[in-house]
């Protein structure tokens, strides 16, 4: 968009796991760019969502939830969260309004409070939170750090999101847009395909199995008829996990594939042929190549 009065800025969306950051980014963009699930730690890598508000382009960095890391993959995810906040024009701390102010949130505020960027506090999930407690949470959090403004929203229903988006746009600096008007994310279609399948693992499998798996897109090719053929490998650590992903008679893997295929066809706006394979790969979370493929930096 070549207009002299355009503005563009980077908003880093940070918070504890399961605060609703990805759902909020999707609402602000106006369509799905980040995968979501009811489980914590769904987001693994930094992802950029691009939102437009009048003459302003908002670059929304959806970061993994910040938590106490226990293994290399955890450390890489937390590093990705903090690196996503670097160079931001505004930091937006998203807090689960229903969950309240716990140790995870106070630790993040402690790390954020002395940073020079303007900060917004966003209390999310107001549709299911106790209204009286929300005000108490907001007062306590504002006592821990200096926030330029406090917002009460429901990323799930969209309540309060338009007002937040207007405020974010007003806070952005003058400058040219960084992305074309019709681009909503910096993720490649190949990366998006892997994330959509991984989302189905979180939605359809139980306990810790989704955390013990990763998706590797082996090939992504356009057919002559305009459709896309995608081959993906679901990596798990043990044969018992492979059996769970496959399901009895292969019923689970077919359901994962069917739902992922339908969503990808909608997102890519063309037919998708998705082929899933499950491979036992012990120690995949200690493999540098896997980290590179899923978009994380290797950390010692």
């Amino acid at each position: 968009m070549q207009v002299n009065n355009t503005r563009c800025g980077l908003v880093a969306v940070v918070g504890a796991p399961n605060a609703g950051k990805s759902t909020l980014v999707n609402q602000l963009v106006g369509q799905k760019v980040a995968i979501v699930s009811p489980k914590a730690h769904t987001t693994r890598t930094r992802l950029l969502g691009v939102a437009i508000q009048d003459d302003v382009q908002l670059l929304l960095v959806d970061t993994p939830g910040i938590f106490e890391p226990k293994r290399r993959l955890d450390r890489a995810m937390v590093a990705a969260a903090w690196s996503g906040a670097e160079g931001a024009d505004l930091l937006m701390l998203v807090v689960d309004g229903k969950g309240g102010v716990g140790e995870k949130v106070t630790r993040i505020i402690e790390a954020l409070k002395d940073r020079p960027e303007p900060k917004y506090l966003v209390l999310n999930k107001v549709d299911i939170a106790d209204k009286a407690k929300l005000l108490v949470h907001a007062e306590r959090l504002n006592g821990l750090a200096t926030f330029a403004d406090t917002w009460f929203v429901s990323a799930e229903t969209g309540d309060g999101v338009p007002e937040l988006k207007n405020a974010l746009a007003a806070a952005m600096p003058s400058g040219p847009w960084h992305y074309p008007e019709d681009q909503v994310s910096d993720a490649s279609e190949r990366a998006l395909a892997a994330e959509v399948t991984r989302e189905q693992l979180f939605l359809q499998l139980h306990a810790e199995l989704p955390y013990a798996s990763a998706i590797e897109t082996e090939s992504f090719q356009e057919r002559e008829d305009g459709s896309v053929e995608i081959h993906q490998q679901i990596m798990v650590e043990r044969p018992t996990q492979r059996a769970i992903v496959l399901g009895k008679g292969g019923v689970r893997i077919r359901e994962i594939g069917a739902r992922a295929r339908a969503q990808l066809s909608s997102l890519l706006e063309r037919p998708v042929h998705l082929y899933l394979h499950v491979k036992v790969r012990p120690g995949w979370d200690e493999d540098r190549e896997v980290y590179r493929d899923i978009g994380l930096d290797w950390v010692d």
Side-chain angles (χ1 to χ4, degrees):
M1 185 175 183
Q2 302 298 320
V3 182
N4 292 331
N5 63 349
T6 57
R7 285 179 289 157
C8 182
L10 186 69
V11 179
V13 186
V14 299
N18 219 25
K21 299 180 295 297
S22 297
T23 304
L24 181 56
V25 167
N26 289 341
Q27 276 279 11
L28 289 165
V29 172
Q31 70 180 74
K32 185 166 188 166
V33 294
I35 69 169
V36 295
S37 89
K39 297 183 176 72
H41 311 313
T42 303
T43 301
R44 274 185 178 163
T45 63
R46 181 204 67 83
L47 182 140
L48 187 73
V50 183
I52 305 297
Q53 182 66 25
D54 300 324
D55 61 348
V56 184
Q57 188 171 70
L58 295 167
L59 309 180
L60 302 156
V61 182
D62 180 26
T63 64
I66 298 170
F67 57 101
E68 193 67 37
K70 296 177 181 177
R71 53 181 180 154
R72 191 187 304 277
L73 180 62
D74 296 342
R75 297 198 298 275
M77 289 165 61
V78 172
W82 286 119
S83 67
E86 292 298 325
D89 295 291
L90 189 146
L91 296 176
M92 187 162 67
L93 173 63
V94 182
V95 176
D96 179 348
K98 188 174 185 297
V101 185
E103 186 181 351
K104 291 178 181 178
V105 175
T106 55
R107 279 206 304 264
I108 295 170
I109 290 182
E110 185 65 30
L112 290 177
K113 68 178 185 179
D114 294 327
R115 293 180 65 117
E117 303 93 341
K119 303 168 192 65
Y120 277 4
L121 171 63
V122 178
L123 283 156
N124 187 26
K125 306 185 184 181
V126 299
D127 54 317
I128 56 174
D130 183 299
K131 302 300 186 290
K133 288 183 179 178
L134 281 171
L135 296 175
V136 175
H137 296 333
E139 185 176 0
R140 182 181 171 194
L141 290 166
N142 274 278
L144 298 175
T146 301
F147 292 100
D149 217 334
T150 299
W151 299 88
F152 299 88
V153 308
S154 169
E156 188 65 36
T157 67
D159 185 33
V161 175
E163 293 81 3
L164 172 61
K165 188 175 181 179
N166 280 328
L168 291 172
M172 293 301 101
S174 297
W177 287 10
H178 290 198
Y179 293 91
E181 190 166 357
D182 59 351
Q183 187 168 340
V184 296
S185 171
D186 66 342
S188 67
E189 291 184 338
R190 185 187 184 100
L192 176 66
E195 284 292 273
V196 166
T197 300
R198 194 166 68 85
E199 180 180 49
Q200 287 304 318
L201 294 182
F202 273 89
L203 293 174
Q204 295 193 47
L205 300 176
H206 302 294
E208 295 300 311
L209 207 157
Y211 302 103
S213 61
I215 310 297
E216 186 176 57
T217 301
E218 297 174 295
S219 66
F220 187 107
Q221 296 179 325
E222 290 194 15
R223 292 182 174 181
E224 290 184 2
D225 62 3
S227 64
V228 181
E229 181 175 323
I230 305 170
H231 290 260
Q232 293 177 336
Q233 187 169 264
I234 300 173
M235 293 180 290
V236 294
E237 296 174 339
R238 299 189 298 274
T240 52
Q241 294 171 338
R242 181 177 185 274
I244 293 171
V245 177
L246 290 172
K248 188 175 181 179
V251 66
R252 178 57 61 197
I253 191 71
R254 286 197 295 272
E255 184 65 15
I256 290 169
R259 294 190 187 184
R261 185 183 306 111
Q263 189 170 153
L264 279 169
S265 294
S266 175
L267 289 170
L268 301 178
E269 298 181 331
R270 47 190 161 158
V272 170
H273 310 276
L274 179 63
Y275 301 92
L276 300 178
H277 315 275
V278 188
K279 181 179 180 180
V280 177
R281 189 170 173 181
W284 66 261
D285 58 345
E286 291 292 326
D287 188 325
R288 285 178 182 267
E289 192 173 313
V290 172
Y291 280 67
R292 185 195 65 219
D293 289 344
I294 64 178
L296 284 173
D297 291 331
W298 178 264
V299 294
D300 293 320

